[in-house]
Amino acid sequence: QVQLQESGPGLVKPSETLSLTCSVSGDSITRNYWSWVRQPPGKGLEWIGYIYSTASTSENPSLGSRITISLDRSKNQFSLKLRSVTAADTAVYYCARITSTYMDVWGKGTTVTVSS
Amino acid sequence: EIVLTQSPGTLSLSPGDRATLSCRASQSVSSSNLAWYQQKPGQAPRLLIYGGSSRATGTPDRFSGSGSGTDFTLTISRLESEDFAVYFCQQYGGSPRVTFGGGTKVEIK
């Protein structure tokens, strides 16, 4: 059974960098695509970006150059860094596995609040 | 940019009713690249339908997906209590690579 678990600080100060990690069990990150999605309070889903096992990435242009997604093959984890955060980045952040063209396994999500 | 517009925003129905949810794309989307998700409060989204019409593992057969081009539909033939939730459509392959619709909330009337 494939499971994903997000981890990271729940509170980040404005202008700082949000850093999250997704730990994968039951599958290898050397296969498939691995994605980040977020959901602001009371709103819909926003795709952030994904990474493939070759470490090639695709990011949502709306988030510009603030995003870095990376892999740690030794730990079977992938990570998200979002720089220069503002209150608009407050959201529940999910990691998910992309199989073909859809996200078939999701983490439970982690809430990140941007506030001083 | 491919924008997915879901309608209606909220659907008020009773158990046993038929629910029809719409997802309209601003550009043509291959049905193989269209998925539907269900989300309940406090939970992560759950994959329901992929490839436009294929049910994911564990999806009851009262859920069906259809459509092509720019118009896609999720139908719930007879609503059960556990089906009251928010539903999102998602496309893959356009620009941005992945986009979600704004969601349709199915609530108890």
Side-chain angles (χ1 to χ4, degrees), chain B residues 87-98:
Chain B
Y87 294 84
F88 295 95
C89 56
Q90 171 246 310
Q91 70 81 30
Y92 178 94
S95 178
R97 203 71 174 160
V98 176

Side-chain angles (χ1 to χ4, degrees), chain A:
Chain A
Q1 181 186 1
V2 181
Q3 293 185 314
L4 282 64
Q5 177 69 57
E6 305 88 351
S7 60
L11 181 64
V12 181
K13 290 182 168 55
S15 80
E16 295 190 346
T17 296
L18 178 161
S19 296
L20 296 174
T21 296
C22 182
S23 299
V24 178
S25 59
D27 194 4
S28 170
I29 60 168
T30 60
R31 293 193 295 261
N32 295 306
Y33 289 76
W34 304 92
S35 186
W36 290 98
V37 175
R38 71 180 183 180
Q39 186 170 35
K43 296 189 177 181
L45 302 170
E46 181 182 27
W47 174 67
I48 297 171
Y50 66 61
I51 189 164
Y52 185 52
S53 60
T54 58
S56 65
T57 60
S58 179
E59 295 88 10
N60 191 330
S62 70
L63 293 167
S65 58
R66 295 198 295 139
I67 302 171
T68 300
I69 301 176
S70 59
L71 289 174
D72 186 334
R73 295 180 182 84
S74 66
K75 295 181 179 178
N76 213 39
Q77 296 174 337
F78 63 105
S79 299
L80 168 70
K81 290 190 187 302
L82 179 63
R83 293 175 288 279
S84 304
V85 297
T86 69
D89 295 309
T90 293
V92 176
Y93 285 75
Y94 297 100
C95 57
R97 182 179 75 175
I98 298 179
T99 295
S100 181
T101 63
Y102 48 89
M103 300 181 195
D104 62 341
V105 182
W106 294 68
K108 292 183 178 180
T110 187
T111 298
V112 178
T113 301
V114 178
S115 175
S116 56

